[in-house]
Amino acid sequence: MDVMGDKATLYGTGRFVRPSDEEPARDELGDMGEAAEELRLRFAAESGDTEAMSVLGAMLLRRGDLDGAEPHLRAATAAGDRAAANNLGVLLHQRGYADEAAGWWRIAAVAGSAAAAHALGRHHRERGDEPAAEYWLRQSAEQGHALGAYALADLLEHRGDAAAGHWMRAAAERGHREAAYRLARALDRRAAGEEESAPEDAAGEIEQWYRQAAARGHRRAALHLGAILEKRGDLKEAGRWYLTSAKDGEPRAACALGFLLRDAGDTESAAVWWLRAAQDGDGNAANALGALHAERGETQTAERWYRAALDAGDDNGAYNLGLLCAEQGRTAQAEQWYRRAAYAGHREAANALAILLLQGGDTTGAEPWFSKAAEAGSVDAAFNLGILHAGRGEETAALRWYERAAAAGHTEAALQVGIARLREGDEQEAERHLRCAAGGGSPEGAYRLATLLDSRRPPEPEHELGETVHEKTECEEWYERAATQGHRRAQVRVGMLAAARGDVVEAARWYRTAAEAGSRNGAFNLGLLLAREGSEPEAAVWWTRAADAGHGRAALRLALVYARRGELAEGQRWADRAVALGPAEVAERAGRLRDALRQELTA
């Protein structure tokens, strides 16, 4: 063969002509290389080279040139090339001659072609001949063919055969991305179904298979990998996988990416991804868009997205529509949407519907919905049932629901259980629940815990000069926490503790805070503190406020102030008020003062 002559002919076609200063593009170089390889194979095939015929036929088949590929594949098959027999089967299958294709696949499979055995197994499964399908797929899988192992696993899994897991793992280990994804999902479901949390090595294996599938372009694997990373706190990497999956068209990943961006403070970018997901039919994203527009006051747009979520099959859409209508005072429509979501099993909608009915005076209609929501796991509904039973005086039933809500972490329910245990005298259980309530942010829980601890505190020893006068106890810390949260009785108590250690400024600050918030004890104690500091006129102002709020001791103090000033009639008036308010000791003293003032006035 005159190689130089052939090259000259090729150059003569102009295909390889390039200006001297121009570099050929990479894809053009690839085309040139492929053309040269095809030409070489054609020459070799024409000279009777079986392997060249087979490779050339496969090249033309991949390109879609069935007419050009068929004669080369038939020639190579006739010469005994099993790869050509397999590819001839593929070609005939593409032409619609499935039975003839199966014949050539059988020839190739018997000759040891794993790919042909896989194709033959798929052919038999499509025709419902599962025994033959399993035989040939097993032949393919046992030769290490990834597609054969996956197809065998899929067949066995459909049949419920325990061996499916072995072949799914085998396919995954050989790089089959769908097998890796399905293996990860199976392990994930198994871990989720276990009573105890999955061991760390199992979690690592699940992540490994998701990662392998995702790295090979599996968009749902990328979504699940992102969720694992987000739960672990690796938000940056989670975002990358969500982005990869979203760009490949996975709406759930686009929605999840939107939430990540929102949490990072980028609401505008979040809205872009939510919009993309919602337009692809993701109800969760539509709800997120609705909530975003509702926060901006764009209620009509919010309603449109909530309806889109509902149309996508997301019951949260109906619940959110109910919330939107309730905020706008459209009670009848709110009830309609809550009912729709509640009947679909939405537990928070059932709770909201019950509250709406209760507000309308329909206690009988509310209770079943509270029960349904509570049984479905709504902590708020369990607490509300406790309130409902307590209002009827059914303390045992109320406590049962309070305990259920408290066990799920409901702060106010824990407070109610703590108070009930205190009434029963079970201080240990009371303390446990009050700590839960106080730790959850309940000011009343913190105050009651402090009073419980305070009742156990031994009296403070006398301190000598030079020693530390005061060291803050745990109960004082809880009093202060409650006080800083606006609890008036705690504020008075913190003021009293400060006064006891001689910190008049701190005591006055807390008394004043409590008094200005409406505490009559705070106003009375502030008056005492001011009187001791020589500010009796200002003290009288606070005592007046306390007495007007029903504080008997404050009224007695005012009676004494006015008596000392010589304003006997005003003193008698306040003494009368103190007698009426009590308590008994105050009423007795006020009565004596009133009688003395009356005698003085009539003398």
Side-chain angles (χ1 to χ4, degrees):
M1 183 183 295
D2 186 357
V3 177
M4 289 301 294
D6 290 334
K7 284 186 178 179
T9 304
L10 284 170
Y11 278 116
T13 64
R15 183 178 298 175
F16 297 142
V17 175
R18 292 282 182 274
S20 58
D21 59 345
E22 184 179 334
E23 186 74 22
R26 183 174 298 175
D27 56 346
E28 291 176 341
L29 287 174
D31 291 342
M32 290 159 48
E34 186 176 340
E37 176 64 11
E38 182 181 341
L39 186 61
R40 185 191 69 77
L41 289 172
R42 285 187 182 279
F43 283 131
E46 288 170 4
S47 65
D49 187 326
T50 302
E51 183 179 355
M53 295 176 196
S54 179
V55 173
L56 178 59
M59 179 185 289
L60 296 171
L61 178 62
R62 282 195 302 272
R63 192 185 297 166
D65 184 1
L66 304 188
D67 291 335
E70 186 171 353
H72 295 293
L73 291 175
R74 285 192 180 276
T77 299
D81 189 292
R82 70 182 188 189
N86 175 56
N87 286 331
L88 180 58
V90 172
L91 184 147
L92 292 167
H93 188 269
Q94 289 183 15
R95 287 191 185 278
Y97 304 128
D99 291 334
E100 189 180 350
W104 290 112
W105 281 331
R106 181 180 296 276
I107 291 169
V110 169
S113 170
H118 164 249
L120 187 57
R122 291 287 301 275
H123 170 79
H124 284 297
R125 187 176 183 188
E126 287 169 4
R127 276 154 179 71
D129 187 352
E130 289 200 359
E134 181 181 349
Y135 174 81
W136 288 111
L137 290 174
R138 193 175 294 278
Q139 294 293 319
S140 175
E142 288 175 350
Q143 291 180 66
H145 195 272
L147 292 173
Y150 174 72
L152 177 60
D154 186 64
L155 176 65
L156 295 174
E157 186 176 87
H158 174 71
R159 195 185 295 166
D161 194 316
H166 165 76
W167 290 110
M168 195 69 78
R169 183 178 293 274
E173 288 171 348
R174 290 164 190 161
H176 194 288
R177 72 177 191 182
E178 185 65 26
Y181 172 71
R182 288 178 64 173
L183 178 59
R185 292 296 296 143
L187 294 170
D188 212 347
R189 284 191 294 269
R190 189 183 308 162
E194 292 174 356
E195 291 185 5
E196 299 179 0
S197 59
E200 190 174 339
D201 56 345
E205 185 183 12
I206 292 167
E207 181 179 339
Q208 168 204 332
W209 291 118
Y210 277 138
R211 192 176 289 276
Q212 177 174 309
R216 293 177 178 272
H218 197 292
R219 70 185 194 187
R220 283 173 294 165
L223 167 66
H224 287 286
L225 177 58
I228 289 172
L229 294 166
E230 182 182 1
K231 187 176 180 181
R232 197 165 65 208
D234 296 338
L235 302 184
K236 192 172 182 180
E237 189 181 358
R240 286 201 299 270
W241 285 112
Y242 282 149
L243 180 61
T244 299
S245 180
K247 285 183 174 178
D248 285 341
E250 178 55 59
R252 289 175 296 170
C255 181
L257 180 59
F259 282 112
L260 269 190
L261 291 165
R262 181 204 62 183
D263 293 342
D266 189 356
T267 310
E268 294 305 317
S269 296
V272 170
W273 286 106
W274 283 334
L275 179 60
R276 181 168 175 173
Q279 288 173 337
D280 287 338
D282 189 278
N284 196 21
N287 271 315
L289 279 173
L292 183 64
H293 287 288
E295 287 172 9
R296 295 172 178 172
E298 301 164 354
T299 54
Q300 288 186 337
T301 307
E303 185 170 340
R304 180 167 60 83
W305 282 114
Y306 288 149
R307 287 180 182 274
L310 190 57
D311 291 341
D314 192 326
D315 296 324
N316 277 315
Y319 173 58
N320 288 330
L321 280 166
L323 290 174
L324 194 66
C325 292
E327 288 171 4
Q328 295 172 344
R330 295 151 60 191
T331 308
Q333 287 175 287
E335 182 181 339
Q336 172 194 345
W337 290 117
Y338 285 149
R339 280 190 187 278
R340 179 164 177 176
Y343 277 121
H346 195 293
R347 65 189 189 190
E348 297 309 325
N351 181 55
L353 174 60
I355 292 171
L356 201 65
L357 293 170
L358 197 61
Q359 289 170 345
D362 187 3
T363 308
T364 305
E367 186 174 356
W369 287 111
F370 276 138
S371 297
K372 185 174 182 179
E375 294 296 346
S378 171
V379 180
D380 288 334
F383 177 66
N384 289 334
L385 272 174
I387 294 174
L388 199 64
H389 286 290
R392 297 172 182 164
E394 300 164 358
E395 299 297 333
T396 303
L399 183 58
R400 185 175 68 252
W401 285 109
Y402 284 145
E403 286 179 327
R404 183 164 178 172
H410 196 287
T411 299
E412 292 304 313
L415 171 63
Q416 294 302 320
V417 175
I419 292 170
R421 295 303 179 216
L422 274 177
R423 283 198 302 266
E424 295 167 2
D426 188 348
E427 286 195 2
Q428 187 174 357
E429 274 298 294
E431 181 182 344
R432 183 172 71 85
H433 282 95
L434 289 175
R435 283 189 182 277
C436 290
S442 168
E444 184 67 22
Y447 173 73
R448 287 182 180 266
L449 175 61
T451 56
L452 178 61
L453 297 173
D454 204 358
S455 67
R456 301 173 183 166
R457 187 171 56 164
E460 292 189 10
E462 296 290 335
H463 292 281
E464 297 181 3
L465 290 175
E467 291 185 340
T468 303
V469 175
H470 179 75
E471 187 173 327
K472 193 176 290 184
T473 61
E474 186 189 3
C475 74
E476 288 180 70
E477 290 175 354
W478 285 114
Y479 277 135
E480 287 186 5
R481 179 180 291 195
T484 55
Q485 291 174 317
H487 194 286
R488 293 183 300 182
R489 283 177 294 168
Q491 290 167 347
V492 173
R493 184 61 182 154
V494 172
M496 291 171 66
L497 291 169
R501 61 177 181 265
D503 191 344
V504 177
V505 174
E506 183 72 359
R509 182 173 74 84
W510 282 113
Y511 287 151
R512 190 179 298 275
T513 301
E516 289 174 348
S519 169
R520 62 188 186 185
N521 284 330
F524 175 70
N525 287 357
L526 179 58
L528 289 178
L529 203 64
L530 291 166
R532 286 171 193 158
E533 295 296 310
S535 301
E536 190 174 85
E538 189 181 353
V541 171
W542 290 106
W543 283 333
T544 302
R545 182 181 289 195
D548 286 340
H551 199 288
R553 286 188 173 84
L556 178 57
R557 287 280 176 173
L558 284 169
L560 290 168
V561 167
Y562 285 110
R564 283 196 300 270
R565 291 178 184 175
E567 300 177 29
L568 303 184
E570 189 67 11
Q572 184 182 340
R573 187 175 72 82
W574 283 114
D576 283 338
R577 178 78 168 144
V579 169
L581 292 172
E585 178 193 349
V586 170
E588 183 183 349
R589 290 177 59 196
R592 290 198 300 268
L593 177 60
R594 179 188 60 187
D595 293 342
L597 290 172
R598 184 176 292 126
Q599 289 177 6
E600 190 75 21
L601 283 167
T602 57

